[in-house]
Amino acid sequence: MSEFQPFPGVMLDRCGLNRQAVFDLADLPGDIVGETAGYRQLILIGHGGRGLWEAVTKSGIGGADPIDDFTVRTIHRWMSEYQPGNRYAILYPGPQPVALQRLGALAGWHHASPFMVGIDAEWGTWYAYRAVVLADTHFALSPAVDPRASSCFHGRASPCAACQDKPCIAACPAQAMACGSFSLARCAAYRLQPDSTCAFTCKARLACPVGSAHRYDADQLRHTYSISLQTIREYF
Ligand code: SF4
Ligand code: SF4
């Protein structure tokens, strides 16, 4: 019998937490998370598409962070159902910084788009990291991915490499990518303008054809971008 158990992801999938990757902590770079003593594995959980937002809305959960609250509640329920008695800790969401994009790159989910939102061939940019869990589990590991590979590796090359026209660049009203790299200052300044068309969305993201079937609806976009707008207001 294999020492690894199949990952019991069906319940998470049903709740819209439909991206999961399992790493053995011993295989991860030492600086990627902090203290991990007493745990064997790191489980990276994300959402792709609209399912999570639909589940959150249906649950009636309120408050300032309904997605985080729903995610944490779901993970507690999932662990108690599928790994009762197992030790685990939810690192993210939480106060400790976690290198989410580095973990995403190791999982094969993350490639940087010109506007610096992560992209992959399946979901486009319509996904996000929702939780990082340390656990003393024996789940089957996700296939290893070399995040530096520029050619197709496990079918997970960046879609931007093959995108000739790069419509996202021309679609940005602030021309935040016009100089060949992304200018957060230009993007933020434009988003803060009173008549900005990017207060609660990103025109560049909408212009990208990759994974467009998974594009968030207006409500989810507004929720997502109202959080980043608030962060920009505080920072700038
Ligand atoms: S439009 Fe092309 S270059 Fe821009 S994010 Fe999409 S795939 Fe990448
Ligand atoms: S939010 Fe608007 S200004 Fe910022 S990168 Fe996207 S399209 Fe450009």
Side-chain angles (χ1 to χ4, degrees):
M1 196 178 87
S2 162
E3 64 171 306
F4 292 116
Q5 301 172 340
F7 187 79
V10 175
M11 178 191 148
L12 295 175
D13 289 344
R14 273 205 305 266
C15 293
L17 296 165
N18 52 351
R19 306 202 77 183
Q20 305 116 14
V22 179
F23 304 93
D24 260 354
L25 284 164
D27 299 336
L28 288 175
D31 62 338
I32 210 158
V33 283
E35 182 56 51
T36 59
Y39 300 105
R40 181 188 305 270
Q41 294 192 319
L42 182 148
I43 305 163
L44 177 66
I45 296 174
H47 85 263
R50 295 183 285 267
L52 177 63
W53 183 248
E54 285 164 8
V56 170
T57 307
K58 201 168 156 197
S59 76
I61 203 164
D65 281 315
I67 293 184
D68 281 357
D69 293 346
F70 178 86
T71 298
V72 168
R73 195 171 77 180
T74 302
I75 289 169
H76 286 315
R77 212 154 46 86
W78 173 68
M79 284 300 286
S80 71
E81 196 164 320
Y82 292 96
Q83 293 286 305
N86 202 315
R87 268 169 43 77
Y88 69 99
I90 299 176
L91 270 194
Y92 176 83
Q96 181 182 326
V98 181
L100 295 172
Q101 290 192 345
R102 281 180 70 198
L103 285 169
L106 290 168
W109 304 354
H110 174 85
H111 305 277
S113 66
F115 47 99
M116 299 313 286
V117 173
I119 188 167
D120 75 7
E122 182 180 2
W123 298 97
T125 64
W126 306 107
Y127 71 90
Y129 308 98
R130 303 280 39 138
V132 175
V133 182
L134 298 178
D136 198 19
T137 41
H138 291 77
F139 292 140
L141 303 178
S142 303
V145 165
D146 181 352
R148 295 158 303 175
S150 55
S151 58
C152 189
F153 192 90
H154 290 299
R156 289 168 168 169
S158 169
C160 299
C163 178
Q164 298 290 326
D165 297 339
K166 302 200 180 337
C168 57
I169 294 176
C172 173
Q175 300 194 314
M177 295 154 273
C179 296
S181 61
F182 178 67
S183 166
L184 177 60
R186 270 176 176 258
C187 167
Y190 180 74
R191 291 192 66 199
L192 290 171
Q193 288 178 15
D195 57 349
S196 176
T197 56
C198 281
F200 300 108
T201 190
C202 171
K203 301 283 185 191
R205 194 172 181 181
L206 292 175
C208 175
V210 180
S212 58
H214 304 297
R215 194 177 280 159
Y216 301 164
D217 69 11
D219 253 16
Q220 189 173 1
L221 271 173
R222 190 172 183 85
H223 175 78
T224 303
Y225 281 90
S226 64
I227 293 170
S228 61
L229 187 64
Q230 186 57 32
T231 307
I232 287 171
R233 280 198 184 113
E234 286 162 14
Y235 189 77
F236 288 89

